Structure formats: C-alpha cells, structure tokens
C-alpha cells in the first residue's frame, strides 16, 4: 500500500485546529494533536478505528491547539514517540506553564493540567513504511518557528499554521 493521509478537523471551541495522519498499510505518523481533551478523545476514537500502529506524534509548534491533547493520544498509543524540531521543543518548554494557566481558566476540565513534552527530532526526517516525511522549521505563520511537513511521495505539503483558510490568524504571538 502506498502512503496516504487523512486530515482530522477539531471543534470550533478548539480553534478549528487540524491533525493530519500519514499512514501506510501498518504504520502511521500523526502531525499535531488538538488542544481540548474532548477533541483529543474524538481523535483517538477515529485513530483506533483505522487500526494503524501509531509510531510517532509530531508537534509542529508551541501553540496549545497542536499539542495539549498529546497525553490522551499517547495513552491510547503508548509506544508512539512524541517529537518536534529542537526550536519547537524549546518554545514549548518555555511557554507551557503560562499557557496551561491561561487556557485552563477558559476551558476548565477540558484542558490538561500537564503536558507531554516532545523530544527533539535529531534529523528533520521520519519514515512511514519507507516513505519520507521531511520537516522544515522557521516558517512564520501565526507565530515564529512553525513547521511544515513535505511528503515527496504524495506531493503533499502539510502546512500546519503557516497556511490558513477562512479564519483569522492568531497574530498576537507573531511579529
């Protein structure tokens, strides 16, 4: 089976964020988890139905709508490694406490009280059943240090928050 992908849309209260799954016959890599725990549980239900072996969860940047739901996903897929480029890991480490406090005040129990920190990705490439996913950082989207994911075998660019459609960019954290 050739590599394929599926985009998961999350709720309006969760900022209409998306997660993208790149998968082969057996294995899969998830790009971004959502922010709200309720969205994360719906995402996990869909992932479980697909029956793939989730090998990695990649976090594209430090905004909560891309990583606060990782703990729920990792509970369902305990062998999945959580990764990000080093610049993203640094941003997450330095901003998470403030973001948990801020968003917990908005969403209450629908937000995590702690997060899973990604490990730095040594090389900006992952493979899914022989197909490469290539990661590029320092893209300015709704904040600095966004990652885009290029999948040559599909001719697909997963633009994360570098490209927006029918939404207002969250420019408060961007210059």
């Amino acid at each position: 089976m050739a590599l394929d992908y599926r985009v998961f849309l999350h709720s309006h209260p969760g900022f209409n964020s998306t997660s993208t799954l790149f998968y082969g016959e057996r294995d899969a890599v998830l790009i971004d988890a959502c922010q709200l725990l309720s969205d994360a549980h719906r995402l996990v239900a869909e992932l479980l139905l697909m029956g793939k072996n989730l090998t990695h969860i990649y976090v594209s940047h430090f905004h909560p709508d891309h990583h606060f739901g990782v703990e729920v996903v990792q509970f369902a897929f305990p062998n999945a490694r959580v990764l990000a480029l080093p610049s993203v890991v640094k941003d997450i480490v330095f901003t998470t406490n403030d973001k948990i406090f801020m968003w917990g005040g908005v969403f209450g129990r629908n937000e995590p009280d702690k997060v899973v920190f990604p490990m730095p990705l040594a090389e900006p490439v992952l493979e899914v059943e022989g197909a490469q996913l290539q990661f590029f950082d320092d893209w300015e989207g709704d904040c600095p240090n966004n990652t885009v994911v290029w999948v040559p075998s599909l001719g697909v660019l997963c633009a994360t928050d570098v490209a927006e459609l029918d939404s207002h960019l969250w420019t408060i954290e961007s210059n």
Side-chain angles (χ1 to χ4, degrees):
M1 174 182 180
L3 197 63
D4 205 350
Y5 69 99
R6 179 175 171 191
V7 177
F8 299 88
L9 305 175
H10 305 303
S11 69
H12 177 73
F15 300 102
N16 297 316
S17 64
T18 61
S19 299
T20 304
L21 186 73
F22 290 98
Y23 61 93
E25 187 174 323
R26 299 168 312 283
D27 296 333
V29 171
L30 183 68
I31 310 299
D32 291 331
C34 44
Q35 178 166 349
L36 300 179
L37 298 178
S38 54
D39 286 338
H41 284 283
R42 283 188 286 276
L43 173 62
V44 164
E46 291 297 316
L47 293 172
L48 289 169
L49 285 171
M50 291 182 72
K52 302 297 179 187
N53 173 40
L54 189 64
T55 60
H56 296 87
I57 303 164
Y58 180 81
V59 179
S60 68
H61 66 284
F62 75 101
H63 283 159
D65 59 319
H66 297 267
H67 73 94
F68 270 20
V70 166
E71 184 177 25
V72 172
V73 178
Q74 196 174 42
F75 181 81
F77 299 93
N79 294 325
R81 294 183 57 214
V82 181
L83 301 169
L85 290 176
S87 62
V88 173
V89 173
K90 182 184 82 136
D91 289 344
I92 291 172
V93 167
F94 285 109
T95 63
T96 292
N97 286 340
D98 291 341
K99 292 197 179 299
I100 287 173
F101 177 77
M102 180 178 72
W103 290 111
V106 175
F107 293 113
R109 293 189 55 204
N110 205 7
E111 286 287 321
D113 55 8
K114 62 183 174 31
V115 300
V116 175
F117 289 101
M119 295 301 297
L121 186 60
E123 295 294 323
V125 175
L126 288 175
E127 285 194 6
V128 179
E129 296 181 13
Q132 282 195 341
L133 280 64
Q134 301 171 355
F135 302 91
F136 301 91
D137 68 349
D138 293 329
W139 285 78
E140 180 84 15
D142 61 349
C143 67
N145 290 335
N146 268 280
T147 305
V148 297
V149 184
W150 171 243
V151 185
S153 66
L154 293 172
V156 168
L157 179 75
C158 179
T160 66
D161 278 3
V162 173
E164 301 278 334
L165 176 65
D166 293 333
S167 66
H168 175 69
L169 281 170
W170 185 266
T171 56
I172 196 165
E173 294 175 337
S174 178
N175 60 8

